Amino acid sequence: GLGIPAEPLFRSPPVIWTVIFLLLGGVAGGLLSSVASMASLASYPVLLAVGIPPVFANVTNDAALIWTSIGSTVSSTKELKGHWKQVWFYTIFTVVGSILGCILLLSFPPKIFEKAVPFFIAFSGLMIIVSGKHHSLNTKAQPTWLKIIYFIALLIMGMYTGYFGAAGGVIVLVLLTYITNDRFIVINAIKNVICGFANLVALIIFMFTSHIYWLQAIPLAIGMFIGGYIGPAILRRVPEKPVRIFIASLAFIQAGYFFYTAYLQ
Protein backbone atom coordinates (compact mmCIF):
# COMPACT_ATOMS: atom_id res chain seq x y z
CA GLY A 1 0.00 0.00 0.00
CA LEU A 2 3.05 2.30 0.26
CA GLY A 3 3.82 2.09 -3.45
CA ILE A 4 7.32 0.81 -2.68
CA PRO A 5 9.45 0.40 -5.81
CA ALA A 6 11.43 -2.75 -6.47
CA GLU A 7 14.87 -3.03 -4.90
CA PRO A 8 17.25 -1.04 -7.13
CA LEU A 9 20.42 -2.91 -6.16
CA PHE A 10 20.20 -5.30 -9.10
CA ARG A 11 19.96 -2.65 -11.78
CA SER A 12 22.96 -1.40 -13.74
CA PRO A 13 25.69 -0.60 -12.82
CA PRO A 14 26.76 -4.12 -11.87
CA VAL A 15 26.02 -5.23 -8.33
CA ILE A 16 29.67 -5.34 -7.24
CA TRP A 17 30.24 -1.68 -8.15
CA THR A 18 27.05 -0.67 -6.38
CA VAL A 19 28.17 -2.54 -3.25
CA ILE A 20 31.63 -0.91 -3.39
CA PHE A 21 30.01 2.49 -3.91
CA LEU A 22 27.77 1.96 -0.85
CA LEU A 23 30.68 0.63 1.20
CA LEU A 24 32.88 3.65 0.43
CA GLY A 25 29.96 5.98 1.01
CA GLY A 26 29.45 4.31 4.37
CA VAL A 27 33.10 4.77 5.35
CA ALA A 28 32.89 8.46 4.44
CA GLY A 29 29.61 8.80 6.33
CA GLY A 30 31.03 7.00 9.37
CA LEU A 31 34.06 9.28 9.45
CA LEU A 32 31.93 12.40 9.09
CA SER A 33 29.51 11.19 11.75
CA SER A 34 32.03 10.16 14.40
CA VAL A 35 34.24 13.22 13.88
CA ALA A 36 31.77 15.89 12.76
CA SER A 37 28.22 14.49 13.14
CA MET A 38 27.62 15.02 9.43
CA ALA A 39 27.04 11.51 8.03
CA SER A 40 24.17 12.70 5.85
CA LEU A 41 26.64 14.70 3.72
CA ALA A 42 27.85 11.35 2.37
CA SER A 43 25.44 8.51 3.13
CA TYR A 44 22.11 10.09 2.16
CA PRO A 45 23.23 11.21 -1.36
CA VAL A 46 24.80 7.77 -1.88
CA LEU A 47 21.44 6.07 -1.22
CA LEU A 48 19.69 8.49 -3.57
CA ALA A 49 22.34 7.78 -6.22
CA VAL A 50 21.59 4.04 -6.21
CA GLY A 51 17.90 4.72 -6.87
CA ILE A 52 16.20 4.75 -3.46
CA PRO A 53 13.37 7.33 -3.13
CA PRO A 54 14.08 10.18 -0.66
CA VAL A 55 11.74 9.12 2.17
CA PHE A 56 12.96 5.52 2.12
CA ALA A 57 16.58 6.70 1.71
CA ASN A 58 16.18 8.62 4.97
CA VAL A 59 14.85 5.53 6.78
CA THR A 60 17.46 3.20 5.22
CA ASN A 61 20.19 5.64 6.17
CA ASP A 62 19.01 5.42 9.78
CA ALA A 63 19.33 1.62 9.63
CA ALA A 64 22.98 1.93 8.66
CA LEU A 65 23.80 4.93 10.84
CA ILE A 66 23.64 3.09 14.16
CA TRP A 67 26.74 1.11 13.12
CA THR A 68 28.69 4.36 13.10
CA SER A 69 27.84 4.77 16.77
CA ILE A 70 28.80 1.15 17.49
CA GLY A 71 32.15 1.56 15.74
CA SER A 72 32.95 4.88 17.41
CA THR A 73 31.86 3.58 20.83
CA VAL A 74 34.17 0.55 20.55
CA SER A 75 36.98 2.90 19.51
CA SER A 76 36.25 5.44 22.28
CA THR A 77 36.27 3.21 25.37
CA LYS A 78 39.24 5.22 26.70
CA GLU A 79 37.31 8.50 26.50
CA LEU A 80 34.08 6.98 27.85
CA LYS A 81 35.70 5.42 30.92
CA GLY A 82 34.17 6.96 34.04
CA HIS A 83 31.45 8.73 32.04
CA TRP A 84 28.83 6.00 31.61
CA LYS A 85 26.49 7.45 34.26
CA GLN A 86 26.43 10.66 32.25
CA VAL A 87 25.84 8.70 29.06
CA TRP A 88 22.81 6.83 30.43
CA PHE A 89 21.35 10.02 31.94
CA TYR A 90 21.59 11.97 28.68
CA THR A 91 20.36 8.94 26.71
CA ILE A 92 17.04 9.07 28.57
CA PHE A 93 16.32 12.51 27.08
CA THR A 94 17.37 11.65 23.51
CA VAL A 95 15.55 8.29 23.44
CA VAL A 96 12.28 9.70 24.80
CA GLY A 97 12.61 12.55 22.34
CA SER A 98 13.32 10.13 19.48
CA ILE A 99 10.12 8.19 20.21
CA LEU A 100 8.11 11.42 20.18
CA GLY A 101 9.82 12.49 16.97
CA CYS A 102 8.95 9.21 15.23
CA ILE A 103 5.32 9.66 16.27
CA LEU A 104 5.36 13.15 14.74
CA LEU A 105 6.96 11.84 11.54
CA LEU A 106 4.24 9.21 11.18
CA SER A 107 1.50 11.76 11.93
CA PHE A 108 2.58 14.87 10.00
CA PRO A 109 4.40 15.56 6.71
CA PRO A 110 8.19 16.04 7.00
CA LYS A 111 7.87 19.40 5.16
CA ILE A 112 7.02 21.06 8.48
CA PHE A 113 10.50 20.39 9.88
CA GLU A 114 12.30 20.54 6.55
CA LYS A 115 11.66 24.29 6.39
CA ALA A 116 13.39 24.77 9.74
CA VAL A 117 16.29 22.36 9.13
CA PRO A 118 18.64 24.85 7.38
CA PHE A 119 18.35 27.30 10.25
CA PHE A 120 18.91 24.59 12.87
CA ILE A 121 22.08 23.51 11.10
CA ALA A 122 23.41 27.03 10.49
CA PHE A 123 22.80 27.87 14.14
CA SER A 124 24.66 24.72 15.21
CA GLY A 125 27.62 25.77 13.05
CA LEU A 126 27.80 29.10 14.85
CA MET A 127 27.38 27.47 18.25
CA ILE A 128 30.15 24.92 17.72
CA ILE A 129 32.56 27.84 17.26
CA VAL A 130 31.17 30.01 20.04
CA SER A 131 31.02 27.13 22.53
CA GLY A 132 34.76 26.63 22.16
CA LYS A 133 35.30 30.19 23.37
CA HIS A 134 33.07 29.81 26.41
CA HIS A 135 34.37 26.66 28.03
CA SER A 136 34.39 28.50 31.38
CA LEU A 137 30.60 28.36 31.32
CA ASN A 138 30.78 24.58 31.66
CA THR A 139 30.91 24.53 35.44
CA LYS A 140 28.73 23.33 38.27
CA ALA A 141 28.09 27.02 39.05
CA GLN A 142 25.54 27.20 36.25
CA PRO A 143 22.06 28.15 37.55
CA THR A 144 19.55 25.31 37.77
CA TRP A 145 17.13 26.97 35.35
CA LEU A 146 19.84 27.10 32.68
CA LYS A 147 20.64 23.41 33.12
CA ILE A 148 16.91 22.61 32.81
CA ILE A 149 16.81 24.53 29.52
CA TYR A 150 19.77 22.53 28.24
CA PHE A 151 18.12 19.21 29.15
CA ILE A 152 14.83 20.28 27.50
CA ALA A 153 16.86 21.19 24.42
CA LEU A 154 18.43 17.71 24.54
CA LEU A 155 14.94 16.20 24.60
CA ILE A 156 13.93 18.35 21.62
CA MET A 157 17.03 17.23 19.73
CA GLY A 158 16.04 13.63 20.39
CA MET A 159 12.67 14.48 18.79
CA TYR A 160 14.53 16.07 15.91
CA THR A 161 16.61 12.90 15.44
CA GLY A 162 13.50 10.71 15.31
CA TYR A 163 11.63 13.11 13.05
CA PHE A 164 14.25 14.19 10.53
CA GLY A 165 17.75 13.98 12.00
CA ALA A 166 19.96 15.89 9.54
CA ALA A 167 22.97 17.20 11.49
CA GLY A 168 21.17 16.62 14.78
CA GLY A 169 24.43 15.29 16.22
CA VAL A 170 26.11 18.66 15.77
CA ILE A 171 23.46 20.38 17.87
CA VAL A 172 23.66 17.64 20.51
CA LEU A 173 27.44 18.11 20.51
CA VAL A 174 26.98 21.83 21.13
CA LEU A 175 24.51 21.21 23.96
CA LEU A 176 26.85 18.74 25.64
CA THR A 177 29.68 21.27 25.35
CA TYR A 178 27.65 23.60 27.54
CA ILE A 179 26.18 20.95 29.84
CA THR A 180 29.43 19.18 30.73
CA ASN A 181 32.90 20.27 31.76
CA ASP A 182 34.76 17.56 29.84
CA ARG A 183 37.31 17.69 27.04
CA PHE A 184 35.96 18.00 23.51
CA ILE A 185 37.02 14.46 22.52
CA VAL A 186 35.13 13.05 25.55
CA ILE A 187 32.04 15.10 24.74
CA ASN A 188 32.18 13.86 21.14
CA ALA A 189 32.38 10.24 22.36
CA ILE A 190 29.34 10.76 24.63
CA LYS A 191 27.47 12.36 21.74
CA ASN A 192 28.15 9.36 19.50
CA VAL A 193 26.67 6.96 22.06
CA ILE A 194 23.51 8.88 22.96
CA CYS A 195 22.75 9.73 19.32
CA GLY A 196 23.28 6.06 18.49
CA PHE A 197 20.59 5.02 20.96
CA ALA A 198 18.23 7.66 19.58
CA ASN A 199 18.80 6.32 16.05
CA LEU A 200 18.34 2.73 17.25
CA VAL A 201 14.94 3.53 18.74
CA ALA A 202 13.91 5.30 15.53
CA LEU A 203 15.08 2.29 13.49
CA ILE A 204 13.02 -0.15 15.58
CA ILE A 205 9.92 1.98 15.06
CA PHE A 206 10.54 2.40 11.32
CA MET A 207 11.06 -1.35 10.88
CA PHE A 208 7.36 -1.81 11.65
CA THR A 209 5.99 1.36 10.05
CA SER A 210 8.05 2.02 6.90
CA HIS A 211 10.27 0.24 4.37
CA ILE A 212 14.01 -0.27 4.76
CA TYR A 213 16.18 -1.29 1.78
CA TRP A 214 18.23 -3.86 3.66
CA LEU A 215 20.29 -4.91 0.62
CA GLN A 216 21.62 -1.35 0.43
CA ALA A 217 21.73 -0.81 4.17
CA ILE A 218 24.08 -3.74 4.85
CA PRO A 219 27.14 -2.60 2.81
CA LEU A 220 26.48 0.99 3.92
CA ALA A 221 26.40 -0.17 7.55
CA ILE A 222 29.68 -2.08 7.18
CA GLY A 223 31.32 1.03 5.78
CA MET A 224 29.85 3.16 8.56
CA PHE A 225 31.19 0.81 11.22
CA ILE A 226 34.68 1.09 9.69
CA GLY A 227 34.44 4.88 9.41
CA GLY A 228 33.00 5.17 12.90
CA TYR A 229 35.85 3.09 14.32
CA ILE A 230 38.56 5.09 12.53
CA GLY A 231 37.05 8.50 13.35
CA PRO A 232 37.95 8.76 17.08
CA ALA A 233 41.52 7.64 16.35
CA ILE A 234 41.85 10.52 13.89
CA LEU A 235 40.26 12.94 16.36
CA ARG A 236 42.87 12.08 19.03
CA ARG A 237 45.65 13.26 16.70
CA VAL A 238 44.09 16.54 15.54
CA PRO A 239 44.00 19.78 17.57
CA GLU A 240 40.54 20.78 18.81
CA LYS A 241 40.33 24.17 17.06
CA PRO A 242 40.73 22.85 13.48
CA VAL A 243 38.13 20.15 14.23
CA ARG A 244 35.65 22.81 15.39
CA ILE A 245 36.30 24.88 12.27
CA PHE A 246 35.88 21.77 10.10
CA ILE A 247 32.58 20.87 11.78
CA ALA A 248 31.29 24.44 11.48
CA SER A 249 32.26 24.60 7.79
CA LEU A 250 30.41 21.35 7.06
CA ALA A 251 27.42 22.67 8.99
CA PHE A 252 27.26 25.82 6.86
CA ILE A 253 27.64 23.80 3.66
CA GLN A 254 24.84 21.47 4.66
CA ALA A 255 22.66 24.39 5.83
CA GLY A 256 23.02 25.91 2.37
CA TYR A 257 22.11 22.61 0.71
CA PHE A 258 19.01 22.07 2.82
CA PHE A 259 17.98 25.71 2.37
CA TYR A 260 18.18 25.21 -1.39
CA THR A 261 16.13 21.99 -1.31
CA ALA A 262 13.53 23.43 1.08
CA TYR A 263 13.01 26.87 -0.44
CA LEU A 264 14.51 27.11 -3.95
CA GLN A 265 13.67 23.81 -5.65
Side-chain angles (χ1 to χ4, degrees):
L2 292 174
I4 299 166
E7 298 279 356
L9 184 61
F10 298 103
R11 301 172 186 171
S12 58
V15 175
I16 184 62
W17 292 114
T18 303
V19 170
I20 292 173
F21 181 61
L22 288 164
L23 185 67
L24 293 177
V27 172
L31 284 169
L32 288 173
S33 180
S34 64
V35 174
S37 304
M38 289 287 185
S40 56
L41 276 177
S43 56
Y44 182 71
V46 162
L47 289 170
L48 293 178
V50 298
I52 299 178
V55 173
F56 299 119
N58 189 42
V59 174
T60 302
N61 185 56
D62 192 70
L65 193 59
I66 61 170
W67 289 94
T68 294
S69 296
I70 294 172
S72 59
T73 298
V74 172
S75 184
S76 300
T77 52
K78 179 181 177 181
E79 286 76 22
L80 291 168
K81 186 177 181 180
H83 294 278
W84 283 103
K85 285 186 178 180
Q86 284 176 281
V87 170
W88 298 127
F89 180 69
Y90 302 146
T91 297
I92 293 172
F93 292 92
T94 55
V95 166
V96 171
S98 181
I99 293 170
L100 295 174
C102 290
I103 293 172
L104 288 175
L105 180 62
L106 298 172
S107 305
F108 300 99
K111 290 293 182 183
I112 297 173
F113 252 28
E114 286 178 12
K115 296 292 184 182
V117 165
F119 303 102
F120 272 119
I121 300 175
F123 178 71
S124 72
L126 290 173
M127 290 296 290
I128 201 67
I129 295 175
V130 173
S131 63
K133 298 179 180 179
H134 290 78
H135 192 74
S136 59
L137 290 178
N138 303 328
T139 68
K140 294 181 180 179
Q142 288 182 351
T144 302
W145 66 266
L146 188 57
K147 291 181 180 180
I148 291 173
I149 289 176
Y150 289 150
F151 290 133
I152 291 174
L154 203 58
L155 177 71
I156 292 172
M157 288 318 303
M159 293 177 62
Y160 177 74
T161 299
Y163 189 93
F164 191 75
V170 170
I171 307 177
V172 171
L173 184 64
V174 171
L175 288 172
L176 291 176
T177 301
Y178 279 97
I179 292 172
T180 75
N181 195 31
D182 295 305
R183 292 177 299 127
F184 182 79
I185 191 170
V186 174
I187 295 170
N188 191 64
I190 294 172
K191 176 269 300 178
N192 286 333
V193 178
I194 66 176
C195 287
F197 276 108
N199 283 319
L200 177 60
V201 169
L203 170 61
I204 293 171
I205 293 173
F206 291 143
M207 283 174 61
F208 296 98
T209 58
S210 186
H211 178 70
I212 298 171
Y213 285 80
W214 291 108
L215 291 176
Q216 289 76 21
I218 291 172
L220 191 69
I222 294 171
M224 283 191 167
F225 179 86
I226 295 170
Y229 186 85
I230 295 172
I234 294 175
L235 198 59
R236 292 188 192 107
R237 292 165 172 79
V238 180
E240 180 178 320
K241 186 176 180 180
V243 172
R244 286 183 179 274
I245 294 173
F246 176 64
I247 294 172
S249 300
L250 290 178
F252 295 140
I253 291 170
Q254 196 168 54
Y257 170 77
F258 281 108
F259 182 87
Y260 173 79
T261 58
Y263 291 95
L264 302 179
Q265 275 192 338

